[in-house]
C-alpha cells in the first residue's frame, strides 16, 4: 500500500501561482510513477502530468508551459508548480501512484484525497 496526502491547494487570482505537494508513505516511493489528475464536479477525471522516478515527465496540452512536475525521492514527495493559472484550472487536484507513466487514470493504483484549487477571474 501507498498512502498519498496532497496539500497546497487554495484560492488564487487568475495569473497567480500555487504549488501542490503530495507526500507518500508506505511502499518504496521511487518504484512508482507519480501523477497529478484533476476533476470538476460532474466531469471525468483529467490527466495533468506524470513523472517517473528518474524524472521523465509528460504534460497535458492544456498545462504545458505553465505547470511543472517534480519529485524529491529522498523526501517521498511529488510537486506540481502551477503558474499563470486560469479560471478553467479550477478543480480538485489528485495525486496518484502507478507502475507506469500513463495518462489513463485506471492505470494508477493509489490515490490521495484531493486538494481544491480555485482560480478567480
Amino acid at each position: 500500500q501507498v498512502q498519498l496526502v496532497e496539500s497546497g491547494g487554495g484560492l488564487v487570482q487568475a495569473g497567480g501561482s500555487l504549488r501542490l505537494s503530495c507526500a507518500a508513505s508506505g511502499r518504496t516511493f521511487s518504484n512508482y510513477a507519480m501523477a497529478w489528475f484533476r476533476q470538476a464536479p460532474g466531469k471525468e477525471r483529467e490527466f495533468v502530468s506524470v513523472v517517473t522516478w528518474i524524472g521523465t515527465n509528460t504534460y497535458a496540452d492544456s498545462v504545458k508551459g505553465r505547470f511543472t512536475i517534480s519529485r524529491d525521492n529522498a523526501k517521498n514527495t511529488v510537486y506540481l508548480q502551477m503558474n499563470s493559472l486560469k479560471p478553467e484550472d479550477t478543480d480538485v487536484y489528485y495525486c496518484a501512484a502507478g507502475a507506469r507513466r500513463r495518462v489513463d487514470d485506471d492505470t494508477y493504483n493509489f490515490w490521495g484525497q484531493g486538494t481544491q484549487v480555485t482560480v478567480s477571474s
Side-chain angles (χ1 to χ4, degrees):
Q1 284 289 84
V2 175
Q3 292 78 43
L4 303 173
V5 179
E6 301 98 333
S7 61
L11 173 64
V12 64
Q13 288 188 331
S17 299
L18 282 174
R19 188 174 84 153
L20 305 183
S21 299
C22 173
S25 60
R27 290 186 178 177
T28 305
F29 177 72
S30 59
N31 288 349
Y32 294 93
M34 299 298 299
W36 289 95
F37 286 79
R38 62 188 184 185
Q39 187 173 24
K43 292 189 176 181
E44 291 188 356
R45 194 152 45 190
E46 176 189 13
F47 169 78
V48 176
S49 185
V50 61
V51 61
T52 66
W53 71 279
I54 59 171
T56 305
N57 52 49
T58 303
Y59 294 95
D61 288 343
S62 59
V63 306
K64 275 182 185 175
R66 300 188 299 122
F67 291 10
T68 302
I69 193 170
S70 61
R71 64 190 292 165
D72 185 333
N73 290 331
K75 294 183 177 180
N76 289 355
T77 302
V78 62
Y79 304 97
L80 186 68
Q81 178 66 45
M82 306 186 295
N83 298 328
S84 302
L85 283 161
K86 305 175 182 179
E88 52 263 44
D89 294 318
T90 296
D91 271 322
V92 177
Y93 283 70
Y94 296 91
C95 175
R100 297 286 184 268
R101 181 168 60 102
R102 294 285 187 265
V103 303
D104 303 301
D105 62 355
D106 59 2
T107 64
Y108 290 86
N109 307 99
F110 305 104
W111 293 84
Q113 82 289 349
T115 185
Q116 176 71 48
V117 171
T118 303
V119 185
S120 63
S121 57

